Amino acid sequence: MKATLTVDFKNEISKIDPRLWGSFVEHLGRSVYEGIYQPNHVTADENGFRQDVVEAVKKLNVPLIRYPGGNFVSGYNWQDGVGPKNERPVRLDLAWQSIETNQFGLHEFMTWCNQVGAKPDMAVNLGTRGIDEARNLVEYCNFPKGTYWSDLRRENGAEQPFDIKVWSVGNEMDGEWQIGHQTAYEYGRLVHETAKAMRLVDSSIELVACGSSNHQNATYGDWEETVLENAYDDVDYLSLHQYYDNFEDDTPEFLGKSVDFDNFISEVIAISDAVKARKHSQKQINLAFDEWNVWYHSMKNDDAQEKWQQAPHLLEDHYNFEDALLVGSLAITLLKHADRVKIGCLAQLVNVIAPIMTNTDGTPSIWYQTIFYPFMQVSNYGQGIALTPKQTVATYKAKDYEVPYIDSIAVYNPDKNETVVFIVNKANETVDFKLAVSEAKLGELITATQFSGYDMHQTNEDQSMSLQPLDDVLIEAHQVTVNLEPLSWNMLRIKTEL
Ligand code: AHR
């Protein structure tokens, strides 16, 4: 099979917002406890932060981390997690039916973010709490000093404000499972009033309103429209969440889910812009795809878990090779929408539906899942300017969509004078791939790698899976040709002159 990706360097989608490659840490399972925080671990520093995890997170170069949830946040009192640790209450976490010790909270998270080089995306509880909690938290975090909440922060050890810019106003409030679930109208009105109070404390913050918790949710569409009708001028971003599964064990169907992901994004853009038009607004709402991933391998096990444990093994999906291919394909789809999707959060980061896993006692103490590799490559090299992709390639029929056998995109990084091409081959055959460029001259190959040759069900607990070199890349001034292995993830970096 043959496939061509044609790009014109004058035809840009957009500059890529580095926050597209963010992630998510929720108080859930072993994400925080035994994940990023484990004071008795051999690699723990004086804060109790596992340094093996810090090193792994740094490899992923995540610029933004959403915290503390997720469903957890809708029952959370942030005050429980500040102040002397021996005075912090132990609470029931109703969302995940677990015990929360509050030994890790806001200050610990901010210190940890500094260690890994990420900024926070702080979620406020609109489930059991509301306007008062949200404005107090902004004051605690961002007000310099001289007020009750800002001085409490200083007493608790942070003289300087945290200066948190990005705030999520609630979590998945469209979901019946959410504590404090609301109708779209109720939520839209609450966002309007909550955002007003938060911005009165700090007018420089950016706010994310909850969109639908998945593309298939019964209220999808109406939800986005009604929330924006009520809060268009109050927020900067609308969120999207989506997880895919392969319970059917049907690889072509599963890999075709990127078409659903793409449609979801295009539709939410259309709905946002329809509200904009109706309001005669000059303002554009951008999107925060702040939960995306594969999630299904752990569900049966989670249903059988005993309740009310501390740091239970929940949502510990062990990702296989085809999951990595889909994650790569979803990342390419995010790049295709770089003009509107400004924030993305791979959900999640450590132990819970995560690229990084820790073992409490066993060896290795840390391991990388299959999805670690494509995500690491896009987060490190999917930077700069996304170029409009024109693909010529055959398609196949999945249940609901025509799926191109190839997903590909090229980005140009002006800081490094390099073009980076990401390609997923979904065909179970070799593809003779060509990149054709205009308005730029290609130079030497910096590196070319592939992730290929594994069984679709292979997982990586033994760390035997890794990126391999992609050989025989032929570069001419205006084109590149290479053979792509069947069912593979590929990345090429090429020196480029404009
Ligand atoms: O990421 C796991 C859960 O998925 C989050 O808590 C929730 O927001 C979503 O339903």
Side-chain angles (χ1 to χ4, degrees):
M1 189 184 302
K2 284 183 188 301
T4 304
L5 169 65
T6 307
V7 292
D8 171 348
F9 278 62
K10 290 232 155 80
N11 189 356
E12 301 175 355
I13 300 173
S14 163
K15 188 169 175 348
I16 300 158
D17 191 318
R19 298 174 304 171
L20 193 57
W21 309 122
S23 190
F24 179 27
V25 167
E26 176 167 8
H27 283 249
L28 193 186
R30 299 190 309 124
S31 169
V32 171
Y33 307 105
E34 295 187 14
I36 65 182
Y37 179 77
Q38 191 178 350
N40 65 357
H41 193 263
V42 298
T43 71
D45 68 3
E46 65 285 2
N47 302 296
F49 302 159
R50 283 184 64 149
Q51 294 302 300
D52 55 350
V53 174
V54 166
E55 287 318 306
V57 172
K58 281 186 183 163
K59 288 199 169 94
L60 292 182
N61 194 30
V62 285
L64 185 82
I65 302 182
R66 189 161 162 256
Y67 174 85
N71 296 340
F72 172 80
V73 79
S74 298
Y76 180 54
N77 296 338
W78 63 266
Q79 292 98 321
D80 291 347
V82 302
K85 286 191 176 179
N86 58 3
E87 291 172 18
R88 297 186 192 174
V90 174
R91 301 266 191 205
L92 293 183
D93 159 17
L94 299 184
W96 300 106
Q97 306 275 284
S98 309
I99 296 294
E100 173 57 54
T101 63
N102 284 304
Q103 292 304 293
F104 186 99
L106 179 56
H107 288 253
E108 289 77 26
F109 179 65
M110 294 306 300
T111 308
W112 186 79
C113 274
N114 280 337
Q115 275 197 15
V116 299
K119 297 278 185 217
D121 166 352
M122 190 60 62
V124 299
N125 174 352
L126 287 199
T128 57
R129 308 191 85 192
I131 304 172
D132 201 36
E133 115 105 346
R135 57 113 186 211
N136 292 345
L137 184 54
V138 177
E139 184 181 322
Y140 185 94
C141 293
N142 289 7
F143 202 77
K145 61 181 178 181
T147 66
Y148 177 78
W149 292 110
S150 58
D151 285 345
L152 187 59
R153 179 199 70 238
R154 292 167 65 227
E155 262 170 50
N156 287 335
E159 177 59 36
Q160 296 306 318
F162 294 138
D163 197 20
I164 297 175
K165 283 281 165 250
V166 180
W167 294 79
S168 289
V169 189
N171 178 69
E172 294 192 348
M173 301 311 295
D174 63 326
E176 183 57 52
W177 59 88
Q178 200 70 211
I179 300 171
H181 158 66
Q182 290 146 26
T183 65
Y185 177 72
E186 288 163 346
Y187 175 67
R189 286 285 308 135
L190 185 58
V191 171
H192 174 68
E193 295 302 332
T194 306
K196 191 201 298 177
M198 292 170 80
R199 285 194 201 280
L200 283 170
V201 180
D202 181 352
S203 60
S204 72
I205 56 179
E206 293 193 304
L207 298 176
V208 184
C210 301
S212 293
S213 25
N214 58 74
H215 195 190
Q216 292 72 34
N217 216 29
T219 55
Y220 165 66
D222 281 348
W223 175 271
E224 281 72 5
E225 191 179 348
T226 309
V227 169
L228 288 182
E229 280 291 350
N230 285 283
Y232 195 89
D233 293 330
D234 307 296
V235 297
D236 304 285
Y237 307 94
L238 188 62
S239 77
L240 298 84
H241 290 182
Q242 190 68 44
Y243 298 98
Y244 292 109
D245 67 66
N246 190 11
F247 284 118
E248 313 284 307
D249 196 14
D250 180 338
T251 302
E253 187 66 35
F254 178 62
L255 296 182
K257 298 292 182 192
S258 60
V259 178
D260 176 72
F261 196 72
D262 190 62
N263 291 344
F264 189 13
I265 296 171
S266 301
E267 290 164 16
V268 175
I269 292 170
I271 296 168
S272 304
D273 290 350
V275 178
K276 174 184 179 191
R278 210 151 47 208
K279 287 182 174 287
H280 301 284
S281 175
Q282 295 304 308
K283 175 183 169 183
Q284 175 174 287
I285 294 287
N286 285 322
L287 307 189
F289 215 128
D290 54 19
E291 286 188 37
W292 64 276
N293 204 345
V294 173
W295 171 14
Y296 74 104
H297 300 282
S298 59
M299 285 179 180
K300 221 163 125 199
N301 180 56
D302 289 353
D303 289 343
Q305 280 274 342
E306 197 189 311
K307 290 181 181 175
W308 311 125
Q309 301 179 66
Q310 280 180 28
H313 288 251
L314 287 177
L315 279 69
E316 298 205 7
D317 276 43
H318 285 200
Y319 289 115
N320 62 25
F321 179 58
E322 68 180 5
D323 298 330
L325 297 181
L326 183 63
V327 162
S329 194
L330 300 181
I332 289 172
T333 311
L334 289 175
L335 284 169
K336 287 182 184 163
H337 290 281
D339 54 336
R340 294 301 288 272
V341 185
K342 298 295 173 186
I343 292 176
C345 301
L346 178 73
Q348 298 190 9
L349 189 56
V350 185
N351 286 337
V352 167
I353 43 174
I356 300 165
M357 298 296 286
T358 67
N359 287 323
T360 314
D361 307 312
T363 44
S365 74
I366 188 161
W367 57 281
Y368 302 155
Q369 300 245 32
T370 57
I371 63 168
F372 183 94
Y373 298 101
F375 187 73
M376 176 182 67
Q377 293 198 310
V378 288
S379 63
N380 281 282
Y381 302 111
Q383 306 280 358
I385 295 158
L387 301 169
T388 305
K390 238 178 74 195
Q391 275 197 162
T392 314
V393 65
T395 59
Y396 65 92
K397 183 114 196 63
K399 256 183 245 143
D400 299 319
Y401 334 96
E402 277 299 316
V403 183
Y405 277 107
I406 292 283
D407 264 344
S408 64
I409 193 158
V411 306
Y412 173 64
N413 187 331
D415 298 335
K416 295 184 175 167
N417 294 325
E418 71 179 52
T419 301
V420 185
V421 192
F422 300 107
I423 319 151
V424 174
N425 177 11
K426 301 181 182 182
N428 200 359
E429 61 180 271
T430 306
V431 168
D432 179 358
F433 179 82
K434 180 162 99 182
L435 168 72
V437 311
S438 56
E439 304 291 343
K441 194 168 160 225
L442 301 174
E444 75 194 45
L445 182 69
I446 302 166
T447 172
T449 58
Q450 60 180 330
F451 198 32
S452 71
Y454 298 111
D455 183 90
M456 289 300 120
H457 299 110
Q458 186 167 340
T459 51
N460 200 26
E461 295 83 353
D462 63 2
Q463 299 292 270
S464 61
M465 299 166 82
S466 60
L467 298 170
Q468 311 109 22
L470 174 60
D471 295 327
D472 301 326
V473 180
L474 192 69
I475 302 183
E476 291 163 62
H478 297 289
Q479 75 168 44
V480 180
T481 49
V482 63
N483 281 334
L484 305 175
E485 289 295 315
L487 295 158
S488 59
W489 160 258
N490 307 269
M491 181 189 78
L492 294 95
R493 293 171 56 208
I494 303 158
K495 276 277 169 215
T496 304
E497 267 175 50
L498 290 197

